[in-house]
């Protein structure tokens, strides 16, 4: 009997997540889709993450590969995983999250049937042990038709990679690669992916669980980390603006560009002099006033206002 090969490669970057990696890998090992491979890229963990991952690998009936590397960040780990991936489709799961057992079977069957470059599902913002805080991300109430990526992007989809499945052939064609050394790398790559994709579809089922703690992710926050995130967001906005102008993209990319410049200035860290001075310097160097001016519109202002109101409401509930 001839094997049909790996259907889905799931890439899991891992760094010091001993509290969460077991649940994550168990949810991947229990996937109903056969012929998958789970590529765990250990990005220099110093806790017990590697030992737990090895136990999960040994106990799993699914193919699990562990790749060890020096700590260079999530983008680097994801890029390494892509080099090892052999599946027809590629998925990404963060090591502190988990998924429904039928996630990849469900997405894969639709992706193959409709010959999709990208398929996206809904997800749950998950608060462990506090289910009343959980809330669902949903930008459409029901499944979409198959759309080209540019039209799809006008619907305001989330720009993370973990709630999506990508055709590997398509990623190879567009030379897909995460920019290394920055935070929020998804916000830089995904608008470009949608611009280039020809066949994209959304399914409204919430299949991914995005772990959050006290209104944010599980990552600890320091002034230095906040400042780096702020600088990286401004860098992302600048790079996307260059891409937009080069490709004469008149679409919805401005709703990623402008908030990435503004949101670092709306953090409570802005009251810290060191944070504020360095962020302003970055703003000036990247000529952000010009970028904002060329991207701002009344429609975008209304969108941004609605987003901030929604976040305030969610924070009050939390």
């Amino acid at each position: 009997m001839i094997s049909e090969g790996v259907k889905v490669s799931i890439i899991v970057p891992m760094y010091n997540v001993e509290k969460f990696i077991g649940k994550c890998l168990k949810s991947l090992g229990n996937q109903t889709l056969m012929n998958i491979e789970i590529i765990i890229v250990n990005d220099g963990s110093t806790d017990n993450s590697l030992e737990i991952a090895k136990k999960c690998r040994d106990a799993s009936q699914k193919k699990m590969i562990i790749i060890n590397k020096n700590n260079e960040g999530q983008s680097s780990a994801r890029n390494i995983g892509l080099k090892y991936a052999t599946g027809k489709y590629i998925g990404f799961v963060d090591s502190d999250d988990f998924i429904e057992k039928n996630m990849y079977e469900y997405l894969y069957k639709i992706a193959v049937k409709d010959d999709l470059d990208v398929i996206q599902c809904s997800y749950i913002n998950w608060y462990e042990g506090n289910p009343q805080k959980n809330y669902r991300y949903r930008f459409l109430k029901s499944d979409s038709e198959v759309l080209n990526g540019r039209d799809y992007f006008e619907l305001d989809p989330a720009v993370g990679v973990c709630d999506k499945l990508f055709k590997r052939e398509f990623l190879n064609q567009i030379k897909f690669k995460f920019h290394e050394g920055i935070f929020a790398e998804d916000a830089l790559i995904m608008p470009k992916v949608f611009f280039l994709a020809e066949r994209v579809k959304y399914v409204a089922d919430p299949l991914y669980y995005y772990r959050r703690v006290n209104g944010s992710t599980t990552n600890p926050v320091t002034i230095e980390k906040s400042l780096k995130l702020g600088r990286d967001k401004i860098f992302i906005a600048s790079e996307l603006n260059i891409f937009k102008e080069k490709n004469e993209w008149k679409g919805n990319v401005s709703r990623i560009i402008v908030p990435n410049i503004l949101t670092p200035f709306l953090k409570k860290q802005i009251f810290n002099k060191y944070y504020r001075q360095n962020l302003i310097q970055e703003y000036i160097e990247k000529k952000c006033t010009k970028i904002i001016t060329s991207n701002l519109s009344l429609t975008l202002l209304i969108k941004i206002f609605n987003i901030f109101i929604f976040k305030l409401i969610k924070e009050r509930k939390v």
Side-chain angles (χ1 to χ4, degrees), residues 16 28 34 57 62 85 117 127 179-180 208 228 233 236 242 249 272 294 307:
N16 287 357
L28 299 182
M34 298 294 105
R57 177 197 61 190
K62 296 292 195 300
D117 295 324
Y127 294 83
H179 190 99
E180 298 186 11
Y208 192 94
K228 174 163 174 45
K233 281 179 171 288
I236 288 166
I242 292 170
W249 189 6
N272 180 285
S294 65
I307 290 170

Side-chain angles (χ1 to χ4, degrees), residues 7 82 87-92 108 111-112 114-119 164-174 176 193 198-199:
K7 295 177 178 177
L82 281 167
K88 184 174 182 179
Y89 278 83
I90 306 290
F92 297 92
Y108 177 80
V112 171
D114 292 334
D115 189 26
L116 302 176
D117 295 324
V118 185
I119 184 169
K164 300 172 180 69
L165 193 61
F166 305 84
K167 183 190 287 186
R168 185 161 67 98
E169 182 183 7
F170 164 67
L171 295 186
N172 290 338
Q173 286 174 352
I174 67 172
F176 179 95
V193 169
E198 293 300 327
R199 298 182 64 80

